[in-house]
Amino acid sequence: MAAGRTCTLESGVSSRSGSPAGPEASPNAEAAELLPFLRRGARADLQATAAQYALALGALAAAAPGSGLERLVCALCTSGYNARAPLHYLGPLLSNLSQQPAARAYLLDPDRCVIQRLLPLTQYSDSSLRRGGVVGTLRNCCFEHRHHEWLLGPEVDILPFLLLPLAGPEDFSEEEMARLPVDLQYLSPDKQREPDADIRKMLIEAIMLLTATAPGRQQVRDQGAYLILRELHTWEPEPDVQMACEKLIQVLIGDEPDSGMENLLEVQVPEDVEQQLLQLDHQEQEELEQRQQELDGESRGKRPAAT
């Protein structure tokens, strides 16, 4: 641990109080010392404390990613990894770590097959905390547009995992059904959409990021994403999520950008245009707040009077 600081994980490892500062006192070294507490079978309280310290250090991704992140992903994706604790908090932890380029590089390494292990957790019904953390991680990974072709291709096939939680029990025509990925065809009449509005919004944002390039937009269109989003927009009760859905639909059905602007993540926006966009965002936020207040008022008006 850092020089002069004592930090004990109950009966776990304590810092080398008073030891001279040096390479071993770096944040990476501190995070590396916490890795043993993420092992299978470690006490649940020590695992939780170690993970929180690692998050505070912001260095677990950089400290031996082959052991640190690999162990975290293994714990997150393995049912019953710790019989004494469900470890759902590891989802938000991974989401926070995936904001770091080193963590995204590890997660998106084609030779490791890490991202593929996370995909089924978008449907993890036992915990919205774990499910939301995984969706947040996937969204952060989608910022890496150089990996979009791989993410949307057959090796990963991320899009059905992002669309399925947004799909309901709609009965599409045979022609429309044929445009959808197999996993989204002929869903059960009792199919439920993702119940958490924040997670629905993150799923939409992840798909939006995948449409940043022209090939990505075409792949998303070809897999029938518009059909799922069209029905979601009709159903969506939350104004901010509905607005995010509208923006994504506009990208899918709108004209392609001019030559040289195909990659929406690399477009240089002039300062005056940026100011106009910020003003529009502010107006949009005010409209959303007004719509939410109206919905809240309608909801209060429908409550039965006290007797």
Side-chain angles (χ1 to χ4, degrees):
M1 295 293 180
R5 184 173 66 187
T6 300
C7 176
T8 303
L9 302 180
E10 294 202 359
S11 61
V13 66
S14 61
S15 66
R16 297 180 298 276
S17 179
S19 61
E24 71 278 10
S26 69
N28 287 1
E30 292 191 47
E33 287 189 357
L34 300 174
L35 299 181
F37 296 95
L38 292 175
R39 288 184 179 141
R40 182 191 295 270
R43 277 174 44 189
D45 56 337
L46 296 187
Q47 283 189 329
T49 306
Q52 291 303 318
Y53 274 111
L55 179 58
L57 291 167
L60 185 58
S67 58
L69 271 178
E70 182 177 6
R71 191 170 298 158
L72 192 155
V73 171
C74 180
L76 186 64
C77 297
T78 303
S79 178
Y81 185 90
N82 187 329
R84 290 170 289 187
L87 305 182
H88 297 320
Y89 63 86
L90 292 180
L93 171 60
L94 184 60
S95 179
N96 278 280
L97 291 172
S98 66
Q99 296 178 41
Q100 302 297 319
R104 294 196 299 274
Y106 172 82
L107 295 169
L108 292 168
D109 186 343
D111 295 328
R112 295 183 184 273
C113 290
V114 179
I115 205 81
Q116 292 93 325
R117 298 181 64 188
L118 296 173
L119 294 177
L121 294 178
T122 61
Q123 291 282 297
Y124 188 81
S125 59
D126 290 346
S127 170
S128 61
L129 190 64
R130 181 179 300 219
R131 191 170 69 249
V134 167
V135 171
T137 300
L138 297 176
R139 179 194 58 182
N140 291 342
C141 288
C142 288
F143 275 98
E144 302 290 341
H145 62 84
R146 293 174 182 82
H147 292 273
H148 283 182
E149 183 177 356
W150 175 70
L151 288 169
L152 288 165
E155 288 186 65
V156 180
D157 199 21
I158 191 174
L159 190 59
F161 291 94
L162 300 176
L163 286 173
L164 186 57
L166 301 175
E170 291 80 22
D171 186 18
F172 295 105
S173 68
E174 289 296 323
E175 181 181 354
E176 290 179 328
M177 198 73 74
R179 294 169 54 191
L180 293 170
V182 173
D183 290 340
L184 283 94
Q185 295 180 7
Y186 304 104
L187 298 179
S188 170
D190 59 355
K191 168 69 171 68
Q192 299 293 314
R193 288 184 173 87
E194 165 59 53
D196 189 298
D198 290 334
I199 297 178
R200 292 198 302 275
K201 189 174 182 181
M202 285 192 293
L203 289 163
I204 293 170
E205 290 169 347
I207 301 171
M208 176 69 89
L209 288 167
L210 291 171
T211 65
T213 63
R217 287 189 290 277
Q218 192 58 51
Q219 285 180 278
V220 173
R221 291 187 187 108
D222 290 345
Q223 295 196 56
Y226 167 72
L227 300 173
I228 302 296
L229 295 168
R230 181 190 68 193
E231 301 303 321
L232 172 66
H233 182 268
T234 302
W235 170 90
E236 180 56 58
E238 297 296 330
D240 60 328
V241 183
Q242 189 179 58
M243 183 67 71
C245 188
E246 284 181 15
K247 291 179 178 179
L248 178 52
I249 289 175
Q250 288 170 4
V251 169
L252 294 177
I253 67 175
D255 296 332
E256 278 294 301
D258 295 335
S259 177
M261 301 179 67
E262 294 91 346
N263 190 329
L264 303 181
L265 291 177
E266 293 184 339
V267 172
Q268 296 296 319
V269 181
E271 186 174 348
D272 59 329
V273 176
E274 184 176 2
Q275 291 300 318
Q276 294 176 17
L277 293 173
L278 289 173
Q279 185 176 0
L280 289 173
D281 285 343
H282 181 69
Q283 294 175 355
E284 179 182 293
Q285 186 60 38
E286 290 181 341
E287 292 174 3
L288 287 174
E289 292 174 357
Q290 183 177 355
R291 288 168 62 182
Q292 188 61 56
Q293 291 174 358
E294 292 173 354
L295 289 173
D296 292 343
E298 292 175 2
S299 177
R300 285 193 296 268
K302 293 178 180 178
R303 292 176 183 171
T307 57

